[in-house]
């Protein structure tokens, strides 16, 4: 019998999918569950076996996620609109693992749990095809036409145990938590309190906030308050610390690849804090021309990741620039975290371009008299241009 490799989370959609593929498509199912956050791999694996799959692969890829994906995003200050790409950045890793295991287990089809309205279908399918064009991809939710109530009753009649009948559609990993659907879809009412899990509401945050020192080495955060951690540990700790100070909530209207405007809620405390601190160190250690080029390439990088183009050929070149420029993004930053705010207290770097002797108003090395000559030349483009327009206006009148 032909085999389908299913990206399996253990939730309602993908559990129903196992039975649906077995019954409707008459194919064997091999599940693949990846830990990129806090998945309980053992429990999910047992559940998959209880659904009669022929194999249930589990793999812990949290370190790879941090070192190969999150790191690149920090390099590129990755944001799409106000969203730090927490779901988007994990999809190419999942797709790549799916292709590798499909090849190893002899599956000619990969199934994923995305809907036909969102971005994730695009990310999975473009990546899978970019890596192995001969693999078929199916997204049963696009085909089966069941709503949630029908899914629940299908699950019940097939003996599928659903532990948490979540109200929202949630996607969670080390880099953040995305929440969609249900009452979030009604933008004329405020969010309900049950949306939040990682970020403490501002009125409940500590009144004195918290001070924190973060150190960056070659673009990557390496220590908190002078204690070294790897990127997984730093991210986990900062999710907790920043989240408990009300940092990392994103609640915005987003433009999906599919042309839809959607209301999205994210909780990304560590991502928001790390990206902001990285940007602050950048402003100290890169010159303006470097930052201008970087901003442009960061924007392209983020759009490509959002749009599922991780393996587009241009990414090789953007990543080469980011690798090269991040060598100079070193330094320490002390911050105050206070009720959702991130406030810089002090900053320093061996690569600092901040030259006290030049900037200080007290006996500066900078010869202020040169300002006049500089402006005499610098003004020409604007002054001559502007006066030519005025002359023309006079002639026309
Ligand atoms: N809109 C976000 C993105 O495209 C999040 C999608 C999250 N999926 C979910 N089931 N909540 O990256």
């Amino acid at each position: 019998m032909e085999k389908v490799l299913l990206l399996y989370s253990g939730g309602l959609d993908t559990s129903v999918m196992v039975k649906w593929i077995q019954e409707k498509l008459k194919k064997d199912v091999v599940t693949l569950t990846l830990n990129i956050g806090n998945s309980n791999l053992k429990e999910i694996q047992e559940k998959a076996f209880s659904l009669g799959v022929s194999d249930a692969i589990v793999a812990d890829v949290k370190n790879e996620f941090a070192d190969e994906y999150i790191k690149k995003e920090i390099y590129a200050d990755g944001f799409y609109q106000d969203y730090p790409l927490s779901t988007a950045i994990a999809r190419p890793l999942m797709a790549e693992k799916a292709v590798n295991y499909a090849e190893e287990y002899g599956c000619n089809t990969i199934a994923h749990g995305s809907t036909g309205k969102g971005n994730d279908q695009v990310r999975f399918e473009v990546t899978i095809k970019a890596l192995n064009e001969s693999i078929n991809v199916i997204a049963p939710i696009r085909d089966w036409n069941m709503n949630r109530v029908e899914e629940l009753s299908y699950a019940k009649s097939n003996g599928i145990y659903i532990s948490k009948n979540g109200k929202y559609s949630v996607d969670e990993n080390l880099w953040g938590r995305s929440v969609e659907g249900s009452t979030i879809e009604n933008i004329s009412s405020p969010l309900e309190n049950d949306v939040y899990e990682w970020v403490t509401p501002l009125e409940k945050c500590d009144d004195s906030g918290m001070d924190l020192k973060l150190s960056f080495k070659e673009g990557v955060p390496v220590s908190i308050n002078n204690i070294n951690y790897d990127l997984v540990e730093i991210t986990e700790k900062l999710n907790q610390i920043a989240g408990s100070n009300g940092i990392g909530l994103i609640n915005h209207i987003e433009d999906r690849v599919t042309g839809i405007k959607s209301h999205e809620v994210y909780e990304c405390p560590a991502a928001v804090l790390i990206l902001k601190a990285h940007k602050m160190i950048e402003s100290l250690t890169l010159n303006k021309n470097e930052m201008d080029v970087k901003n442009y390439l960061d924007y392209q990088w983020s759009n490509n990741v959002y749009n599922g183009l991780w393996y587009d050929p241009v990414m090789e070149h953007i990543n080469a620039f980011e690798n090269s420029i991040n060598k100079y993004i070193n330094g320490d930053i002390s911050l105050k975290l206070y009720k959702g705010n991130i406030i810089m207290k002090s900053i320093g770097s061996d690569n600092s371009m901040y030259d006290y002797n030049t900037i200080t108003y007290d006996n500066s090395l900078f010869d202020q008299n040169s300002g006049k000559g500089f402006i005499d030349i610098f003004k020409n483009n604007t002054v001559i241009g502007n006066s030519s327009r005025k002359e023309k206006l006079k002639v026309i009148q």
Side-chain angles (χ1 to χ4, degrees):
M1 211 195 279
E2 273 186 29
K3 285 195 279 187
V4 176
L5 183 127
L6 167 67
L7 277 161
Y8 183 63
S9 69
L12 173 67
D13 289 337
T14 51
S15 296
V16 166
M17 235 166 257
V18 173
K19 287 286 170 198
W20 190 85
I21 295 167
Q22 291 163 336
E23 257 183 22
K24 295 272 183 332
L25 306 185
K26 311 250 174 295
K27 292 185 179 176
D28 265 350
V29 179
V30 175
T31 56
L32 169 63
T33 307
L34 300 168
N35 180 29
I36 44 176
N38 283 317
S39 313
N40 184 339
L41 291 179
K42 190 100 204 75
E43 202 177 284
I44 299 174
Q45 188 177 43
E46 278 164 16
K47 185 167 179 180
F49 278 123
S50 79
L51 297 172
V53 300
S54 61
D55 251 305
I57 311 161
V58 293
D60 192 329
V61 293
K62 204 149 77 162
N63 284 307
E64 189 174 342
F65 180 48
D67 297 339
E68 303 295 328
Y69 294 80
I70 292 178
K71 186 177 99 174
K72 288 199 171 85
E73 182 181 327
I74 299 171
Y75 278 4
D77 296 296
F79 269 97
Y80 173 79
Q81 298 177 340
D82 283 333
Y83 159 49
L85 299 166
S86 49
T87 291
I89 187 77
R91 298 316 195 193
L93 170 66
M94 296 171 75
E96 186 199 314
K97 294 291 166 195
V99 169
N100 293 346
Y101 284 112
E103 287 166 352
E104 189 183 327
Y105 283 72
C107 306
N108 61 357
T109 302
I110 292 174
H112 63 80
S114 308
T115 72
K117 288 190 170 177
N119 301 314
D120 289 325
Q121 53 173 345
V122 180
R123 298 171 185 146
F124 282 134
E125 296 181 29
V126 173
T127 309
I128 290 166
K129 290 287 180 186
L131 295 173
N132 184 339
E133 238 181 309
S134 70
I135 292 184
N136 303 314
V137 191
I138 57 169
I141 295 185
R142 287 193 305 225
D143 304 327
W144 67 27
N145 258 330
M146 272 189 270
N147 63 30
R148 207 159 170 91
V149 175
E150 287 161 344
E151 266 187 69
L152 280 166
S153 88
Y154 184 93
K156 208 165 166 210
S157 59
N158 281 282
I160 301 169
Y161 165 69
I162 299 300
S163 54
K164 205 164 81 180
N165 173 20
K167 171 168 155 196
Y168 302 107
S169 161
V170 177
D171 176 65
E172 220 176 82
N173 64 44
L174 181 63
W175 201 229
R177 179 170 181 268
S178 311
V179 199
E180 293 176 332
S182 182
T183 46
I184 297 175
E185 290 175 355
N186 181 2
I187 56 168
S188 55
S189 342
L191 295 176
E192 293 180 35
N193 288 337
D194 60 359
V195 169
Y196 312 106
E197 282 190 11
W198 291 15
V199 179
T200 306
L202 297 186
E203 60 279 9
K204 292 196 184 142
C205 292
D206 193 292
D207 277 338
S208 44
M210 184 184 279
D211 291 338
L212 179 98
K213 179 179 167 193
L214 265 187
S215 305
F216 282 78
K217 199 166 172 221
E218 303 198 346
V220 182
V222 289
S223 73
I224 304 174
N225 297 333
N226 299 323
I227 304 174
N228 287 345
Y229 300 102
D230 66 27
L231 190 52
V232 169
E233 293 166 329
I234 290 211
T235 308
E236 284 171 343
K237 285 193 190 298
L238 293 181
N239 272 330
Q240 207 284 318
I241 296 170
S244 66
N245 283 287
I247 289 159
L249 187 73
I250 295 117
N251 170 8
H252 76 166
I253 306 291
E254 183 173 304
D255 288 277
R256 291 190 187 160
V257 195
T258 48
I260 290 170
K261 276 197 187 292
S262 60
H263 184 199
E264 304 278 338
V265 180
Y266 302 99
E267 295 184 285
C268 306
V272 166
L273 179 61
I274 292 171
L275 293 170
K276 177 135 191 194
H278 183 266
K279 196 96 185 154
M280 286 173 166
I281 305 257
E282 210 170 288
S283 64
L284 180 69
T285 55
L286 303 184
N287 86 355
K288 187 171 177 304
N289 291 332
E290 288 176 313
M291 284 193 291
D292 285 348
V293 175
K294 187 170 191 305
N295 283 338
Y296 174 72
L297 291 177
D298 290 349
Y299 176 78
Q300 298 297 342
W301 190 94
S302 299
N303 268 322
N304 287 338
V305 171
Y306 188 81
N307 292 340
L309 306 181
W310 186 264
Y311 283 101
D312 189 277
V314 77
M315 291 300 267
E316 181 188 340
H317 313 300
I318 302 179
N319 285 324
F321 172 86
E322 300 288 1
N323 289 343
S324 149
I325 203 149
N326 272 274
K327 288 201 295 281
Y328 302 104
I329 305 180
N330 298 301
D332 302 321
I333 183 159
S334 292
L335 300 162
K336 176 151 210 91
L337 311 185
Y338 180 74
K339 292 186 194 278
N341 293 293
I342 303 168
I343 303 152
M344 183 176 87
K345 292 180 67 188
S346 64
I347 190 165
S349 168
D350 289 344
N351 301 104
S352 173
M353 291 186 180
Y354 186 87
D355 183 10
Y356 180 80
N357 291 327
T358 313
I359 65 98
T360 180
Y361 286 117
D362 309 326
N363 303 321
S364 163
L365 291 178
F366 191 107
D367 175 6
Q368 293 201 42
N369 290 326
S370 320
K372 190 180 171 310
F374 165 71
I375 297 163
D376 280 345
I377 297 169
F378 180 72
K379 71 175 194 318
N380 284 342
N381 214 13
T382 300
V383 172
I384 297 171
N386 202 37
S387 83
S388 95
R389 293 282 153 81
K390 279 188 204 142
E391 294 303 321
K392 282 225 179 69
L393 270 180
K394 268 186 223 146
V395 173
I396 293 167
Q397 279 162 6

